[in-house]
Amino acid sequence: MRSLPARRIAGIAAVAASSVLALAAPAFAHVTVQPGSAQQGGYSAVAFRVPNENDNAATVKLEVSLPMDHPMASVRTEPVPGWTATLEKSKLDKPLKSHGQDINEAVSKITWTANDGTKLGPGQFLDFRVSLGALPADTDKLTFKALQTYDNGDVVRWIEEAKDGQPEPAKPAPVLTLTPAAKPADGASPAAADHHAGDAAGGDQAAAKSDDSDSTARTLGVVGIVVGVVGAALGVAGLRRRSSGSAS
């Protein structure tokens, strides 16, 4: 049986490595909500994670529209150095009840604009953090449509909604999955339940850090697979050369 030439083995290794990386890349390509889930009825701190996908331009503005079919009474942004956040409010058809008061308008859009001298450049990403609440209890997800503007005038519209049984759209809108709130343990006092609800934002921040760690672990795992494939291929090539030398 004729052995494979070293160049051919190296070529196979390169194709395998690029295929692994291609499978891993899409996870980092979209504007997303981090962490991807939160409890219904509570308050949560989330981040809109924005990657710069253009090799020849920088991101200078992000616009996020909040779902007005499930408005939230409290929306607050965390300062981002070099960026200015602007909140727009809209009138509600039906007032919200919050702490015994009627809320007649809610934040419908958040716009982050880069200040002079600030840009999100190629190969970079940035988290735009927001505190939201109270999250609705009558839906299992919130969809946030986003527009990403580059300094060359290009606008990427992250507004497509995924449909069951169909492939993910090319420019999906960021989605926050809502899970049922955990019921207090038997015998727990209402005050204890309120305390746990008040800690929801802190828990979501910890979950965000955990998500970052998971992403790092997945990336390192992919790199390990690539290194293993290339190393195995080079090892086989070396054995082939030794065998050929001994036979001669």
Side-chain angles (χ1 to χ4, degrees):
M1 181 177 180
R2 177 178 296 179
S3 60
L4 291 174
R7 288 184 179 178
R8 185 175 177 185
I9 293 175
I12 293 173
V15 171
S18 61
S19 298
V20 173
L21 291 176
L23 290 173
F28 304 96
H30 304 325
V31 173
T32 58
V33 180
Q34 301 292 335
S37 64
Q39 286 190 353
Q40 295 174 337
Y43 288 75
S44 181
V46 302
F48 293 98
R49 179 162 296 174
V50 181
N52 194 97
E53 296 183 306
N54 194 320
D55 293 334
N56 302 306
T59 298
V60 292
K61 184 166 68 173
L62 174 69
E63 301 167 77
V64 176
S65 295
L66 279 63
M68 295 309 290
D69 54 343
H70 293 96
M72 287 162 282
S74 176
V75 177
R76 303 184 183 189
T77 60
E78 182 178 275
V80 180
W83 295 74
T84 299
T86 303
L87 279 63
E88 298 180 23
K89 292 186 176 182
S90 296
K91 293 283 187 181
L92 299 177
D93 295 332
K94 182 180 179 180
L96 281 174
K97 290 288 185 180
S98 179
H99 302 290
Q101 297 183 346
D102 286 341
I103 306 297
N104 295 307
E105 60 180 12
V107 175
S108 56
K109 183 179 179 180
I110 308 174
T111 301
W112 286 272
T113 305
N115 300 335
D116 291 341
T118 299
K119 294 181 180 181
L120 178 60
Q124 299 177 337
F125 78 92
L126 190 60
D127 284 348
F128 297 87
R129 293 182 59 80
V130 182
S131 172
L132 302 172
L135 297 172
D138 58 349
T139 183
D140 60 1
K141 67 178 181 180
L142 292 176
T143 300
F144 302 88
K145 297 185 177 182
L147 302 182
Q148 180 180 7
T149 301
Y150 287 89
D151 58 2
N152 64 355
D154 290 347
V155 178
V156 181
R157 301 171 62 82
W158 302 96
I159 63 173
E160 301 176 44
E161 298 189 41
K163 297 182 179 179
D164 292 340
Q166 295 187 12
E168 183 184 61
K171 301 297 180 184
V175 174
L176 177 66
T177 300
L178 300 180
T179 58
K183 295 181 180 179
D186 293 340
S189 66
D194 291 341
H195 173 74
H196 289 306
D199 287 342
D204 286 326
Q205 291 175 4
K209 293 180 180 178
S210 175
D211 179 81
D212 290 343
S213 298
D214 290 344
S215 297
T216 301
R218 286 195 297 268
T219 302
L220 291 176
V222 170
V223 173
I225 292 172
V226 173
V227 171
V229 170
V230 175
L234 293 177
V236 171
L239 289 175
R240 296 296 187 188
R241 287 196 297 270
R242 290 178 185 176
S243 298
S244 298
S246 299
S248 60

